[in-house]
Amino acid sequence: MQLGVIGLGRMGGNIVRRLMRAGHDCVVYDRDPKPGQALAADGAVVASDLKDMVAKLAAPRAIWVMLPAGKITEGTLAELAGLVAPGDTLIDGGNAFWKDDVRRGRELAGKGIHYMDVGTSGGVHGLERGYCLMIGGAKEAFDRLEPIFKVLAPGKGEIEPTKHREGRNPTAEEGYLHCGPVGSGHFVKMVHNGIEYGMMQAFAEGFDLLRNASAKEGLPPDYGFDFDVTEIAEVWRRGSVVTSWLLDLTAEALAADEELAAYTGNVSDSGEGRWTVDAAVETATPAEVLTSALFARFRSRVDHTFGEKVLSAMRAGFGGHVEPKPGIVQPAGPVAVGADTVPVSTSPSGKG
């Protein structure tokens, strides 16, 4: 199949590479010409602007926008809506707010244009591991583009099959799922990222407790431990019920430097955690762990613990997230990048 991709940052570029490896054709665009030039060497067709991209794609077109949520994505989709034709499909694969998706889908449907929201998890490792895809939009649009989703997803791999799944949706086992109408994909991804916050916070607090349980002034005499947290992280990876990719990343970071000296413990939040808490309030759903994990990130910007260095190390591991520089104030409202989706390149329709 042929797909247009706008935004060739850490995830957008690798999405193109994974598709081309499987024989799909990609037309690409980024305001920065360098990533496009690199992909052209691998076989991608580079567009000079959005109008040129639309001209280079055969109808019915499919264009995947992989940009930070907010003004830049809004502007890019608005410009594309004036260029594409009825029957074409526009996809937002970033971490947009699901209510924005519902609005966009309604507006584009009036023009006969399909809109899909695809929650994309996999971070900087997606090229080799594949991407978990949570997809919202019309079923007919999903069916037409399923070959794209199937290639981007990780497939069954070596994960043990889940018992009692006979007769259920087989695509979930492949790592991609049509979740429902427009907005549903990003809603599921939003909750996914909220859960991620809670899991990361649990690991962070646990390793902080292990460090603080070592014999030191002010502790009861029974606390005579001298735990090697690097080895504990490693042993937990082998058969423990807390085995996970997040634990793998933690063990790797601790093995490289048990003090995690490269991290301050100033932990950013992506916006999706805030949206998750908002949804919990709107639906009157108790979400104590997710809310606490979000507030812990706020507190980390004032006073840092070893546990928060662990959080920073995990975020760097799966998403390449870099801690904010000293003196930079975190935004008061939700920002436009997800916990494991931070495209760094831009289109001409927003700031860089």
Side-chain angles (χ1 to χ4, degrees):
M1 293 189 69
Q2 189 185 45
L3 182 73
V5 179
I6 299 170
L8 307 176
R10 285 175 287 185
M11 289 186 69
N14 281 343
I15 282 173
V16 172
R17 292 182 180 92
R18 189 169 174 91
L19 287 171
M20 291 194 301
R21 285 182 181 181
H24 293 285
D25 297 322
C26 292
V27 179
V28 302
Y29 174 71
D30 194 290
R31 189 173 67 176
D32 179 357
K34 293 180 181 178
Q37 292 167 0
L39 289 168
D42 294 331
V45 175
V46 180
S48 58
D49 55 25
L50 300 189
K51 184 177 181 180
D52 185 45
M53 167 172 280
V54 171
K56 284 181 163 65
L57 291 168
R61 304 169 186 85
I63 301 176
W64 185 303
V65 177
M66 201 64 180
L67 297 167
K71 290 183 179 180
I72 181 170
T73 293
E74 197 75 48
T76 299
L77 288 169
E79 184 174 347
L80 286 170
L83 297 171
V84 298
D88 292 347
T89 302
L90 300 181
I91 304 165
D92 182 3
N95 277 344
F97 184 39
W98 67 273
K99 291 185 179 181
D100 289 337
D101 293 315
V102 173
R103 170 181 51 79
R104 290 175 192 150
R106 188 181 301 117
E107 293 170 353
L108 292 170
K111 301 179 180 181
I113 301 167
H114 290 295
Y115 177 79
M116 304 191 77
D117 52 296
V118 179
T120 308
S121 181
V124 296
H125 303 276
L127 176 60
E128 302 301 333
R129 292 171 58 101
Y131 300 92
C132 176
L133 303 176
M134 295 142 271
I135 304 161
K139 185 64 163 56
E140 62 179 290
F142 169 81
D143 289 342
R144 186 174 80 82
L145 296 176
E146 187 171 5
I148 294 291
F149 302 135
K150 187 176 180 66
V151 164
L152 290 176
K156 292 183 179 180
E158 299 179 356
I159 297 176
E160 188 73 19
T162 301
K163 296 179 181 178
H164 314 303
R165 278 194 54 85
E166 295 80 5
R168 300 189 67 87
N169 189 340
T171 73
E173 296 176 319
E174 299 283 343
Y176 67 101
L177 181 67
H178 180 239
C179 299
V182 171
S184 64
H186 278 150
F187 190 96
V188 173
K189 178 58 162 52
M190 173 189 75
V191 176
H192 163 283
N193 283 18
I195 292 170
E196 180 185 286
Y197 279 34
M199 293 173 65
M200 293 173 69
Q201 187 65 29
F203 276 124
E205 292 178 10
F207 282 105
D208 210 15
L209 179 57
L210 289 168
R211 289 268 299 203
N212 289 332
S214 298
K216 62 182 181 182
E217 185 178 352
L219 288 179
D222 289 344
Y223 284 88
F225 306 116
D226 186 15
F227 289 123
D228 187 330
V229 293
T230 300
E231 299 309 315
I232 292 170
E234 187 62 30
V235 75
W236 283 352
R237 295 182 64 223
R238 313 293 172 172
S240 162
V241 296
V242 298
T243 297
S244 66
W245 188 24
L246 290 174
L247 180 58
D248 293 343
L249 295 170
T250 302
E252 184 177 341
L254 290 170
D257 175 16
E258 187 169 314
E259 298 299 321
L260 300 178
Y263 303 98
T264 66
N266 185 330
V267 187
S268 298
D269 75 285
S270 64
E272 296 237 338
R274 303 187 192 200
W275 298 338
T276 305
V277 172
D278 287 344
V281 172
E282 289 180 348
T283 61
T285 302
E288 297 96 330
V289 171
L290 309 189
T291 303
S292 177
L294 175 64
F295 287 173
R297 294 194 177 196
F298 296 164
R299 189 206 53 74
S300 78
R301 297 163 202 166
V302 178
D303 182 31
H304 313 314
T305 67
F306 178 76
E308 278 139 11
K309 291 186 177 184
V310 175
L311 281 178
S312 284
M314 281 188 275
R315 295 186 82 243
F318 64 68
H321 301 283
V322 178
E323 291 182 335
K325 295 179 180 179
I328 294 180
V329 179
Q330 295 290 305
V335 295
V337 291
D340 60 0
T341 305
V342 190
V344 294
S345 301
T346 63
S347 82
S349 303
K351 64 183 182 181

